[in-house]
Amino acid sequence: MASLRYVVADVFTDTALTGNQLAVFTDGRDVDEELMQRLAKEMNYSETVFVLPPEAGGHARIRIFTPATELPFAGHPVLGSAYVLAGPMQLGEIQLETGAGVVPIALEREGARISFGWMSQPIPKHEPFPKADEVQELLGVRSGLPVELYHQGPGFAYFEIESKDALAGLTPDFGALGRITDYGVSCFAGSGTDWKTRMFAPTSGVPEDPATGSAAGPLAMHLARHGRISFGEEIEISQGDEIGRPSKLYARVTGTPDDVETIEVGGSAVIVARGEFRL
């Protein structure tokens, strides 16, 4: 009988039972890909992580699954895994190997407790989103900025909504949205350093995500490229209120519109449970 232990963390929050849930199976060496996917479906969180021995010089390698598919990279699984793994190791920085490369996470501590983490994300490629008109017609919106697709994690298309109230009032037809695109649809509103987002990804098994770290970095890049914020400015992003999982993310990007140099996304996490599967 195989014994598979896991840790549950709430990510992009400092309060238990809020933020984005994450299951981390701390030893995935004896778990094949099919079982990983079945366990992710069983957990039914936005993502589930399986920790494996490193292969490229990092501290650990992680595989990331939604209830429906594997992702090369996603933000809250990386940050949550850093909290789970670096806590007992007393590391100031942990490097996690993902399908998108090695991701360093710098950790801040209050005594022995990790209080905050900043992950350095890959710089995504971007292009106009060809399904923009279809999505806007479905949602009943018209983006204030050009709608562009950023290839980060599962990939996200960005739509600027006129106000936070209008954003909160969106009621997508998830079936219809999934028929239009397999990419995540990230809708945002705000100004200055204060932003609100909602992210819909029905074909990934996540109709609405409580906190999307892999969408927060490209959002900061999108805002900076189009002059909504300054390069180097740190923004605060609220997400998840509409589904009862309020989350807080932070992001900053450096460089120029033609040459983005760094993208960092930060936040907190809390470990809320530990468990074991016996299969």
Side-chain angles (χ1 to χ4, degrees):
M1 181 181 292
S3 176
L4 303 173
R5 295 181 180 179
Y6 65 91
V7 178
V8 175
D10 290 336
V11 186
F12 288 117
T13 180
D14 56 9
T15 304
L17 309 184
T18 65
N20 202 349
Q21 299 146 300
L22 176 73
V24 180
F25 285 82
T26 51
D27 185 356
R29 288 175 295 177
D30 295 327
V31 186
D32 62 28
E33 185 172 306
E34 179 187 1
L35 182 54
M36 288 180 180
Q37 185 64 75
R38 291 173 65 191
L39 286 165
K41 186 174 181 63
E42 179 80 8
M43 299 304 299
N44 204 34
Y45 296 155
S46 296
E47 280 99 11
T48 293
V49 163
F50 298 87
V51 180
L52 298 163
E55 295 180 347
H59 292 94
R61 179 165 63 97
I62 62 172
R63 294 183 67 176
I64 303 167
F65 289 79
T66 74
T69 190
E70 183 173 7
L71 301 177
F73 173 81
H76 102 274
V78 169
L79 182 63
S81 296
Y83 267 73
V84 170
L85 299 175
M89 299 170 71
Q90 292 297 299
L91 295 173
E93 178 180 284
I94 186 169
Q95 298 198 9
L96 297 179
E97 300 173 13
T98 73
V102 179
V103 178
I105 306 96
L107 302 167
E108 301 172 7
R109 292 179 180 271
E110 294 178 359
R113 184 181 70 87
I114 300 172
S115 58
F116 200 87
W118 281 103
M119 77 184 93
S120 297
Q121 295 189 342
I123 308 298
K125 295 180 180 179
H126 59 88
E127 61 184 327
F129 182 52
K131 301 287 189 178
D133 289 342
E134 293 173 63
V135 172
Q136 289 178 125
E137 183 177 352
L138 177 69
L139 297 180
V141 301
R142 181 59 56 179
S143 179
L145 287 176
V147 180
E148 293 177 318
L149 175 65
Y150 287 75
H151 294 281
Q152 180 80 286
F156 303 97
Y158 289 84
F159 297 79
E160 184 183 34
I161 310 302
E162 61 182 13
S163 69
K164 290 184 177 181
D165 287 343
L167 176 60
L170 292 180
T171 56
D173 179 333
F174 292 121
L177 186 60
R179 289 190 290 273
I180 295 173
T181 181
D182 288 333
Y183 290 110
V185 171
S186 181
C187 299
F188 63 94
S191 62
T193 60
D194 180 22
W195 296 86
K196 173 182 174 65
T197 67
R198 296 179 68 186
M199 200 289 290
F200 313 116
T203 61
S204 293
V206 186
E208 180 165 358
D209 198 30
T212 316
S214 54
L219 173 61
M221 178 176 168
H222 191 60
L223 293 171
R225 286 183 54 246
H226 291 287
R228 287 287 196 267
I229 63 171
S230 301
F231 281 91
E233 190 170 27
E234 181 180 315
I235 63 172
E236 181 179 293
I237 303 167
S238 299
Q239 189 176 340
D241 294 284
E242 288 73 22
I243 54 174
R245 303 287 304 192
S247 307
K248 196 75 70 177
L249 306 86
Y250 300 83
R252 57 196 182 199
V253 57
T254 64
T256 66
D258 297 323
D259 184 20
V260 174
E261 297 172 354
T262 65
I263 294 177
E264 294 179 292
V265 173
S268 300
V270 288
I271 294 171
V272 294
R274 300 177 187 273
E276 181 180 19
F277 278 83
R278 293 184 177 180
L279 303 176

